[in-house]
Every structure is written in structure tokens, then in C-alpha cells.
Amino acid sequence: MSRSAPAPSFAVISGGQVHRALEGRHREVVDLIEAAYRTHGAGDTVNPPSYFLRFPDRPTSRIIALPASISGEVRVDGMKWISSFPENVAAGIPRASAVLILNDHDTGYPLACLESSIISATRTAASAALAADRLTADRERPRRIGFFGVGLIARYVHQYLAGTDWSFDELGVFDLSAEYAGGFATYLKDATDGAGRVTVHESAEDLVRNSDLLVFATTAGTPHVTDPDWFSHNPVVLHVSLRDLSVDVVLSATNVVDDVEHCLKADTSLHLAEQRVGNRGFVDGTLDDVLTGRLTPAADRPVIFSPFGLGVLDLAVGKHVYDTVNAAGELPVVEDFFHEMRRYG
């Protein structure tokens, strides 16, 4: 009879540890995200559809499960479990909360549970910074940036742009809440130390028309930016929140996604476009196509990057955090987590 292997260890990694493992490593994390995109593009991942838990009594809220597996150098399986409760903001706590489970590649045993709102925001911001860099490679570097929606994700996107050597002459802000817009403008002034002019715009149109790089990071459930003429100056749009732009705006632009199957579902702006035209021909390619040179977006049209958010990106960042904490000898292992380890007692 074979002998029992030692019980695997299981760790719980706090948000503080996650923050310390990632703080100040913007370039390293962007490179990590690029590698994960390339692994996904090469077919060395499993990234099934996300699963949405919705509530009839709380229609604005949801919890999403993102299972995934990534091979290559990362070699880990797992799942992100992330909730979005917009009413939290009025109560003074963040809208989103999340955990990430990492599973051992060989045994399937869970390795760790990590606080993942930071990981999720980090991978979203790093993906946006990577896309901004590559989608503007063949055009003049944008000097005017606009933020439509001013929560945690917008802050992280700005931090990752700044941390990868972006700077701007003008930084625009718009939000339906004047209080939130003013708070984010104060953050930008402090973060840039006066290096760029910060403007709170009175209308969405003013923000769009006065920005060469746009970040949409709202909680919108249906399109609310409807006029393609606002984009006639051909900006690059990081459509992180996925549901802000009307079908007409989508169809007037070059559209780049992280994954076609994932982006064209759940009533995203691109999904609505597919439903109208009956095909996916308006999708020009993926970010991996841009990374590998298969797609070079034209400079004479707006370019919209719509990232649904791949679970494999969370795994790549989460495994990096796990390895960093483990290498520092600070892995907080839960003793006796796996207790029944003998088949016959």
C-alpha cells in the first residue's frame, strides 16, 4: 500500500500583504500581464465563461465567479469570486470585494486564499496601461487624458500609467456625482504635484472632446454615451466598464478586445453591436494581435479597447503575490486545514 503524502499547506494572504507585494512594481506587473496575454493567445490557458450570480431583490448587485487555468511559467489553476454592490459607495466602503483561490497545478489542492480586490484592480489597471502603450505606438503620444467614472479602478489606472512613465499636460474628470469628481480631481492634483492641469468638466461631451486618451470606469449597466461625433478627433478609449458606449459609437471605431468570446456577451456594448448587425466583423482583433504585430490600429479612427477581464490575469498576478510572500518567509499557513488525508482512516 502506498504511503500517504504530506498534507498540503494552505495559506490565507491578507490585503495588506498583497499591497506590499505589488506596491511600486508597476512595470513588473505590466510585463507579467503581457506575458499572460501572450500565453492566452498561444492557447496555453483555460478561461471558461464567467458565471454571474444576480439577485431579484438587489438588481444592481452581482457576484461573479471567474474560473481559469494558466500554463507556461505560471502553472496554476483557480478562481476569482468578486462581488459588485454599487450601494456600498454611499455607505463609505468600496463597491467591489473579492477573494482569489489558487489551486496546485499537479494535485488540484488549494494553495491559498488571497484578498483580491487589490489583485483585480491591479490586473485591470496593468492591462489598461499595456493597451494604452501599444495602441498609441503608431500615433502621437496622448497628452490629454480624461477619466469618466472616478472610483478605485480609475485611481489604479492612473497609478499604472504614471508608474510606466506616462505624463499628461491636461487631466480631465467627469462623474455624475460632483462630490466624487471633485475628490478625484484633488487626488490627481496631489498625485501629479501640479505637473498637469486638472479640470472637472461640466458635461460628458466636454470630457470626451477634450481627451486624446479616455478611461471609462463606471458602473453603468446600459450605454449612455451615444454620439460618434464626440470621438471625431480619434482618441484611444480604454472602455474598462464595457457598457458605456452606444452601438453607433462602437461601429464607428476600431475595436480591440482581450477575448472575443468573453467580450461579446452579458449585454456589453460590443454584444449589443453584434445583436444589431448580426455578426462580429466590427471586432478588429485582440490585444494579443496588437502585441504580436498581427493588428496595427489605424490612426484615422477612434480605437476602443474593451477588456472583459480574464481570470487568467488574476491568476498570474495572484501567483506572483503568493511566490513573493512565500520567498520572504511570510506565508501565513493555516495549520491542519486539510485534516482527512488518509483514505481508510
Side-chain angles (χ1 to χ4, degrees), residues 80-224:
K80 179 171 74 171
W81 179 244
I82 182 167
S83 66
S84 174
F85 280 54
E87 281 71 20
N88 285 351
V89 176
I93 60 175
R95 168 188 61 85
S97 58
V99 294
L100 177 68
I101 301 294
L102 300 180
N103 293 75
D104 181 75
H105 178 275
D106 296 324
T107 68
Y109 269 83
L111 294 171
C113 176
L114 297 82
E115 195 285 329
S116 199
S117 66
I118 296 172
I119 291 172
S120 186
T122 294
R123 65 88 151 141
T124 300
S127 169
L130 175 65
D133 182 65
R134 299 311 174 89
L135 293 174
T136 60
D138 291 319
R139 58 171 70 194
E140 186 177 351
R141 186 97 158 172
R143 303 298 306 170
R144 303 180 300 168
I145 188 171
F147 291 91
F148 198 135
V150 293
L152 179 74
I153 297 299
R155 173 163 62 86
Y156 266 72
V157 170
H158 174 260
Q159 289 174 349
Y160 265 79
L161 289 169
T164 51
D165 300 325
W166 284 79
S167 61
F168 300 95
D169 299 327
E170 299 181 30
L171 301 95
V173 178
F174 178 78
D175 194 272
L176 295 178
S177 166
E179 177 186 355
Y180 298 160
F184 194 72
T186 299
Y187 155 74
L188 288 175
K189 290 174 184 177
D190 292 341
T192 59
D193 197 25
R197 184 178 67 178
V198 178
T199 303
V200 177
H201 290 275
E202 295 185 357
S203 71
E205 180 178 359
D206 284 345
L207 176 78
V208 173
R209 289 190 182 277
N210 287 281
S211 303
D212 304 311
L213 179 64
L214 277 155
V215 180
F216 281 89
T218 75
T219 59
T222 56
H224 54 95

Side-chain angles (χ1 to χ4, degrees), residues 30 60 70 153 190 212 268:
V30 170
T60 64
I70 181 168
I153 297 299
D190 292 341
D212 304 311
T268 63

Side-chain angles (χ1 to χ4, degrees), residues 243-296:
R243 296 172 178 84
D244 300 277
L245 306 178
S246 72
V247 171
D248 290 334
V249 172
V250 168
L251 296 180
S252 70
T254 296
N255 288 284
V256 180
V257 300
D258 54 0
D259 184 281
V260 176
E261 291 296 330
H262 284 75
C263 286
L264 274 72
K265 63 178 57 175
D267 291 333
T268 63
S269 295
L270 274 72
H271 187 202
L272 297 179
E274 179 189 27
Q275 292 175 42
R276 178 193 289 186
V277 303
N279 61 68
R280 298 178 171 182
F282 59 89
V283 178
D284 295 88
T286 67
L287 184 56
D288 183 61
D289 291 329
V290 177
L291 295 175
T292 56
R294 294 189 296 267
L295 172 65
T296 301

